[in-house]
Amino acid sequence: MSELLRTGRAMAIATTVSRITGFLRALVLVTALGMGTRLLDAYTAANVAPNTIYELVMGGAVASVVVPLLVRQASRPDADLFAQRLLSLVVYGLGAVVILTVIAAPLIVDATVSGFSPPQRHVAVLFTRFFMPQILFYGVSATLAAVLNARGRLAAPMWAPVANNLVVTATGLAFVLVGGTGHIESLTTGQALLLSVGTSAGVAAQMTVLAFAGRRAGFRLRLHADPRGIGVRRIAAMAGWTVASVAAAQAVFVVCSRLASHAGAGMLGVYSNASMIFQLPYGVIAVTVITGVLPRMSRAAGRRDLAGVTTDLSHGLRLTGVALAPVAAALIVLGPALTTLMFAHGNTSPDAARLTGRTLAAYGLALVPFAGYQIMLRAFYALGDTRTPALISVGVSAVTVTAVLVASRFTGGARLVIALAACTAVAYTAGLLVTALTLRHRLGRVDGRRLLDVHVRSLAAATVAGLAAAAVAHAVDGSLGAGPGSAA
């Protein structure tokens, strides 16, 4: 356990630096492109497209298949050859995907957003074509990170996104220096190329850092003309269920993106930035815990030690719950104040910044359930079961889509963006409960009493702290003459 804590501290430091630089990156981009502007919406729609396609094609398989598989292969003499062939398969497969998606960029933009004007659509298509090589960069990065995790180098992959963030931050600053504004009509060809090339260069820098870390860990970055010999059919069979769950999750993303973009100009950027801030504490705390416990649970599962799987799972859930409960309370209570402080400058209006905060507050309700749900899914992956978590994930996605479509019937505009985040909280809470019951049946126990006790006490403490913070914020607003409506 002490080893896990030491490794966890190293990963937490790396992830914290990564998330801080990621926040700086977002802050610079919002300042340069403007919150609530058509240019930021076009950039956001294009920039999430390669992430979405990568997750659909490969991303989910990394956690569910690749990491457990590499952990089990690590002790074999041909472990490096296995990893090299796996990397070769990723490069060839995703290289073909990049070519297809560059050609299909207009169709991808039309499928993911709604209500763009012709100039805005043109810029989004241009950005999308330049951003699609990121699919290959993400795939190579994820495979190298999995190789490092299998070798016990858990902190090194956490530092790689820092390079990405710094490059994109420099790109945003350069855009401002060359006279770029948040007005899509005044965007020049040179400014568009700067944003396009600079953003993809950031992901390439992330991949380069991981390649260097792999080399230092003794892994030779070598491609094989024939990637067979790694059980491609078995990997495909295991990953097939994961693709189904990722496809369902991406369907949720498409539905929410279209609803947000149709809600009004700038709403997609508001929704995306609230989601980004929501992911910061999850990435620093929950992802660190997941990265640490997944190899441990995989090794325990390989020994058929279900008690060991339960122990690591319980520790991860308790650690995450205690750490995230006060953060969730802060997001719920102080969301508008935080986003006003962060974004209400440059090309961003105060109203757009406050709306982002209200959306973030709704997301705060989902933070602890989402983290617990994701950690529990990893227990199934460690057991070599991708079917059960896929079915659960599809169910959660179905609940989310149903909820947001119902919400869109009763509300619109800015209120709809907030409702989208609230629907996410409802869906992940349901997913957490179903996953816990299913996992208890599989493992025999999940340390439920201790988990319930720790989470109830954490929730009580966070509620008290949240109420105190709300009282202080209300008093400060009143003394400044702002009143509660200022955050509305």
Side-chain angles (χ1 to χ4, degrees), residues 25 52 56 62 66 105 126 147 151 196 225 236 247 251 267 277 304 343 363 372 400 427 469 471-472 474:
R25 158 187 168 162
T52 301
L56 180 61
V62 173
V66 174
L126 174 65
V147 171
R151 293 167 178 253
S196 301
M267 292 299 101
I277 300 173
R304 301 184 183 278
F343 296 128
Y363 262 126
T400 308
V472 172
H474 181 77

Side-chain angles (χ1 to χ4, degrees), residues 157-222:
M158 300 293 188
W159 287 103
V162 175
N164 183 358
N165 295 332
L166 292 178
V167 170
V168 178
T169 299
T171 299
L173 292 174
F175 178 78
V176 174
L177 290 176
V178 298
T181 68
H183 301 293
I184 202 167
E185 296 80 8
S186 62
L187 184 70
T188 67
T189 301
Q191 291 168 353
L193 289 175
L194 172 63
L195 290 172
S196 301
V197 176
T199 301
S200 289
V203 186
Q206 175 176 319
M207 179 184 67
T208 302
V209 170
L210 285 165
F212 179 74
R215 182 69 177 175
R216 291 193 62 183
F219 176 67
R220 293 183 60 192
L221 189 63
R222 178 184 175 188

Side-chain angles (χ1 to χ4, degrees), residues 89-487:
L89 181 65
V90 168
V91 170
Y92 302 148
L94 294 186
V97 171
V98 168
I99 295 173
L100 292 175
T101 52
V102 168
I103 296 172
L107 298 177
I108 293 170
V109 171
D110 291 340
T112 54
V113 295
S114 173
F116 275 16
S117 64
Q120 191 177 18
R121 178 184 178 276
H122 173 75
V123 171
V125 171
L126 174 65
F127 283 154
T128 299
R129 285 197 162 121
F130 276 94
F131 291 167
M132 283 307 167
Q134 295 176 23
I135 297 172
L136 176 60
F137 302 155
Y138 282 129
V140 173
S141 297
T143 306
L144 291 172
V147 171
L148 290 167
N149 286 343
R151 293 167 178 253
R153 306 294 182 92
L154 302 180
M158 300 293 188
W159 287 103
V162 175
N164 183 358
N165 295 332
L166 292 178
V167 170
V168 178
T169 299
T171 299
L173 292 174
F175 178 78
V176 174
L177 290 176
V178 298
T181 68
H183 301 293
I184 202 167
E185 296 80 8
S186 62
L187 184 70
T188 67
T189 301
Q191 291 168 353
L193 289 175
L194 172 63
L195 290 172
S196 301
V197 176
T199 301
S200 289
V203 186
Q206 175 176 319
M207 179 184 67
T208 302
V209 170
L210 285 165
F212 179 74
R215 182 69 177 175
R216 291 193 62 183
F219 176 67
R220 293 183 60 192
L221 189 63
R222 178 184 175 188
L223 297 181
H224 293 263
D226 184 1
R228 291 179 297 178
I230 58 175
V232 174
R233 291 183 179 179
R234 176 170 172 263
I235 293 174
M238 294 178 65
W241 285 107
T242 304
V243 170
S245 66
V246 173
Q250 297 310 316
V252 173
F253 170 78
V254 170
V255 170
C256 290
S257 294
R258 288 183 66 86
L259 289 173
S261 61
H262 193 68
M267 292 299 101
L268 180 59
V270 167
Y271 178 72
S272 177
N273 278 285
S275 177
M276 179 272 297
I277 300 173
F278 163 74
Q279 291 288 339
L280 289 178
Y282 169 76
V284 171
I285 297 170
V287 171
T288 299
V289 172
I290 289 171
T291 305
V293 301
L294 179 56
R296 292 171 63 92
M297 290 192 295
S298 298
R299 294 188 188 99
R303 300 191 304 267
R304 301 184 183 278
D305 179 12
L306 295 185
V309 174
T310 301
T311 298
D312 289 326
L313 173 64
S314 174
H315 179 73
L317 289 170
R318 285 183 281 117
L319 182 61
T320 304
V322 169
L324 287 181
V327 180
L331 295 183
I332 294 169
V333 174
L334 303 175
L338 290 172
T339 55
T340 298
L341 178 65
M342 291 186 292
F343 296 128
H345 47 76
N347 292 317
T348 299
S349 69
D351 287 342
R354 286 194 292 270
L355 177 59
T356 304
R358 294 169 63 195
T359 307
L360 177 62
Y363 262 126
L365 298 171
L367 186 57
V368 175
F370 177 68
Y373 166 72
Q374 292 293 338
I375 293 174
M376 286 187 174
L377 289 184
R378 267 55 178 191
F380 287 106
Y381 298 155
L383 295 168
D385 179 5
T386 57
R387 178 177 179 272
T388 302
L391 294 175
I392 294 173
S393 297
V394 169
V396 170
S397 297
V399 171
T400 308
V401 169
T402 302
V404 298
L405 290 178
V406 170
S408 68
R409 290 297 188 99
F410 295 96
T411 187
R415 293 180 183 273
L416 177 58
V417 178
I418 301 170
L420 295 179
C423 290
T424 300
V426 173
Y428 283 126
T429 300
L432 174 68
L433 296 175
V434 172
T435 307
L437 292 174
T438 307
L439 197 56
R440 183 178 182 276
H441 177 74
R442 177 67 60 85
L443 296 176
R445 60 186 294 270
V446 289
D447 204 12
R449 291 184 178 178
R450 183 155 58 159
L451 287 172
L452 184 62
D453 177 64
V454 169
H455 280 78
V456 167
R457 285 189 291 161
S458 299
L459 178 61
T463 300
V464 172
L467 291 174
V472 172
H474 181 77
V476 170
D477 283 344
S479 67
L480 295 176
S486 64

Side-chain angles (χ1 to χ4, degrees), residues 73-90:
Q73 292 283 333
S75 59
R76 296 180 55 174
D78 63 343
D80 276 5
L81 178 61
F82 181 92
Q84 289 169 352
R85 285 176 170 168
L86 180 62
L87 181 62
S88 301
L89 181 65
V90 168

Side-chain angles (χ1 to χ4, degrees), residues 4-73:
L4 177 61
L5 291 175
R6 285 195 301 271
T7 304
R9 281 195 295 269
M11 289 190 294
I13 292 172
T15 308
T16 300
V17 174
S18 172
R19 297 294 171 163
I20 289 174
T21 55
F23 168 73
L24 178 62
R25 158 187 168 162
L27 190 61
V28 169
L29 286 176
V30 168
T31 301
L33 306 182
M35 181 80 76
T37 65
R38 295 181 185 275
L39 179 57
L40 181 61
D41 275 3
Y43 179 90
T44 300
N47 200 31
V48 298
N51 290 271
T52 301
I53 296 170
Y54 162 72
E55 287 295 331
L56 180 61
V57 175
M58 178 186 167
V62 173
S64 62
V65 179
V66 174
V67 172
L69 198 58
L70 288 173
V71 167
R72 295 190 178 105
Q73 292 283 333

